[in-house]
Amino acid sequence: MDMSVFDLFKIGIGPSSSHTVGPMVAARRFLLEAGPLDQVVGVDAALYGSLALTGVGHATDKAVILGLMGQTPQDVPPDEVDAMLAAAEAAGELALLGAHKVPFKAAINLLWHKSESLPEHPNGMRFTLRLADGTRIDKVYYSIGGGFIREAGEAAIPTQPADAAPVAFPFDTMEQLLAHGRASGLSIPEMLRANEHVRRSEAQLNEGLDRIWHVMRDCIAHGLDTTGNLPGGLNVKRRAAKLWRQAQDAKASPSRANDLPHDAVHLVSLYAMAVNEENAAGGRVVTAPTNGAAGIIPAVLRYYAHDCHPSDPVGGVRRFLLTAAAIGMLCKRNASISGAEVGCQGEVGVACAMAAAGLVAALGGSNEQIENAAEIGIEHHLGMTCDPIGGLVQIPCIERNGMGAVKAITAASLALNGDGTHFVSLDEVIETMRQTGADMQDKYKETSLGGLAVHVITVNHAAC
């Protein structure tokens, strides 16, 4: 499996990895691969399927324009995005890759094909360059979840180059990974670490893992300190900051000297909601493994670092992230992490499984207990639809992250209190998720054409 921990955990901006991060990356890649731009006189971008149906709510239009301007998800300043886009629209032109200017108006050059999907994935987009001699350069890309993209015709799962150094512990299934563990005596995070060393040094790996955690931690902190309404038109109020202050005031109250049993769990849900409110506002987040599910892993990590009182928090966080990445790799390879492909079970369900497995590893659980925790996490999200109201990553997405984080801790607790033996394997439940997603009607897969999205809008209209 040619995936890295840093493929699953990417630093970017909200509100969506598949609808924001992926299209931004694809637009920029298209221009980089097109060759010299000096003869280009125009550019068009067309969005299809789920990207078109929920693209406005997911800021896909903004992402495409930013990508054409040469911006990257990890480096674009979130606070400057609106000003950059407004300046380009007022000027009526884009500086492609920040250099070559061409006329551009979003209403003319950005096309939405809501009733048409491209053949290889629901999240398709076509970019076209018009040259001075009348010829065109045209390419199709797909945003396949978690910020991953591929050009039409590329393999869904990248293959390792023939001259690449082989990893120490190759695996395509959890059974293979467990077998490596039994043969080597190593834990899952130790094996993932050995695999990563093919790509980077020990120091580089640790620095990268620490940076991921720092961005996650900062995102929680910013979300717990920011109030107001989220953008998009639903006027959803941020709740995490207010609830966090209430929790801190209650804890400091003389009338309650001791924490209540549910306090830690309540705070975990606030951590997750804080991240996803930041995501909904277009802030800096880490795909984990997607933006729509970005709050679960940071919330459980903070629970581990603050409430579990670890003796080696730095090492524990690193073990957590490596283990979580292993679970995400398996889900991406053998099913999907795209809500447009398999519904929210592939986002919140996978994130819950990753967090549960990571927590077990950080707390010293066995490989079998790690596998058990991940299986529980996915099993209890099977069939979850992706039906965001108004195409926005707000309702029910923000609360789902809070609930998913609590479920992850419960799954980890169940696994740690067992011996690792259980009836359903992780490989089996991942395959079940894939089949369930294939059977799920498209209206329940990030189109806002069914489920909660339609029911709530219908009720609201009836009341007017």
Side-chain angles (χ1 to χ4, degrees), residues 301 304 310 312-322 358 361-363:
L301 260 175
Y304 164 75
D312 177 23
V314 174
V317 167
R318 293 169 180 170
R319 291 193 300 274
F320 187 119
L321 291 172
L322 288 166
L363 293 174

Side-chain angles (χ1 to χ4, degrees), residues 50 56 58 68 76 90 101 124 128 145 170 185 202 204 210 214 254 292 312 397-398 416 444 454 457:
S50 177
V56 173
H58 287 72
L68 293 174
V76 63
K101 293 183 179 180
T128 302
E202 179 86 357
Q204 290 171 329
D210 293 346
H214 291 159
D312 177 23
C397 318
I398 294 170
L416 284 168
Y444 298 119
V454 172
I457 291 175

Side-chain angles (χ1 to χ4, degrees), residues 66-92:
L66 288 169
L68 293 174
M69 294 167 68
Q71 297 293 329
T72 62
Q74 65 271 24
D75 294 321
V76 63
D79 294 341
E80 298 177 18
V81 164
D82 288 342
M84 293 166 61
L85 294 172
E89 183 67 16

Side-chain angles (χ1 to χ4, degrees), residues 62-344:
K62 297 180 179 180
V64 166
I65 295 170
L66 288 169
L68 293 174
M69 294 167 68
Q71 297 293 329
T72 62
Q74 65 271 24
D75 294 321
V76 63
D79 294 341
E80 298 177 18
V81 164
D82 288 342
M84 293 166 61
L85 294 172
E89 183 67 16
E93 61 183 16
L94 284 185
L96 301 182
L97 296 180
H100 181 72
K101 293 183 179 180
V102 297
F104 188 92
K105 282 288 187 180
I108 299 171
N109 302 106
L110 191 57
L111 309 174
W112 306 82
H113 297 283
K114 296 184 179 182
S115 59
E116 182 181 353
S117 290
L118 297 179
E120 297 179 28
H121 193 278
N123 291 335
M125 62 200 107
R126 184 188 305 275
F127 297 101
T128 302
L129 286 178
R130 289 174 276 111
L131 307 184
D133 63 3
T135 60
R136 294 171 177 258
I137 299 174
D138 184 277
K139 282 190 178 183
V140 169
Y141 295 88
Y142 295 94
S143 181
I144 58 176
F148 290 87
I149 64 165
R150 59 181 170 86
E151 188 179 344
E154 283 184 346
I157 302 295
T159 56
Q160 192 165 335
D163 59 349
V167 297
F169 301 99
F171 67 98
D172 291 328
T173 66
M174 176 54 82
E175 181 50 43
Q176 291 174 353
L177 193 54
L178 291 174
H180 283 312
R182 290 189 291 267
S184 66
L186 296 177
S187 68
I188 287 175
E190 288 171 334
M191 290 186 285
L192 264 289
R193 180 172 285 276
N195 286 354
E196 289 290 332
H197 286 165
V198 172
R199 303 176 175 91
R200 51 189 58 85
S201 69
E202 179 86 357
Q204 290 171 329
L205 175 59
N206 287 336
E207 181 182 357
L209 293 172
D210 293 346
R211 183 173 182 233
I212 292 297
W213 169 226
H214 291 159
V215 174
M216 289 179 171
R217 189 178 59 192
D218 290 347
C219 185
I220 294 174
H222 196 270
L224 292 177
D225 192 46
T226 306
T227 58
N229 287 2
L230 295 173
L234 293 181
N235 294 319
V236 173
K237 289 185 178 180
R238 286 179 179 253
R239 288 179 290 166
K242 179 180 178 181
L243 293 172
W244 172 252
R245 287 197 301 272
Q246 289 176 348
Q248 299 310 298
D249 291 344
K251 188 174 182 178
S253 173
S255 63
R256 203 185 80 177
N258 299 315
D259 291 342
L260 296 176
H262 64 269
D263 283 351
V265 172
H266 173 57
L267 296 183
V268 166
S269 67
L270 297 187
Y271 303 153
M273 290 173 61
V275 170
N276 281 83
E277 288 176 354
E278 284 293 290
N279 177 64
R284 177 75 66 214
V285 297
V286 176
T287 62
T290 68
N291 282 34
I296 295 172
I297 288 173
V300 178
L301 260 175
R302 176 156 170 166
Y303 166 80
Y304 164 75
H306 286 250
D307 295 291
C308 295
H309 308 292
S311 58
D312 177 23
V314 174
V317 167
R318 293 169 180 170
R319 291 193 300 274
F320 187 119
L321 291 172
L322 288 166
T323 304
I327 304 305
M329 292 174 190
L330 289 169
C331 293
K332 176 167 175 53
R333 177 177 180 81
N334 298 318
S336 176
I337 58 172
S338 168
E341 197 167 23
V342 297
C344 199

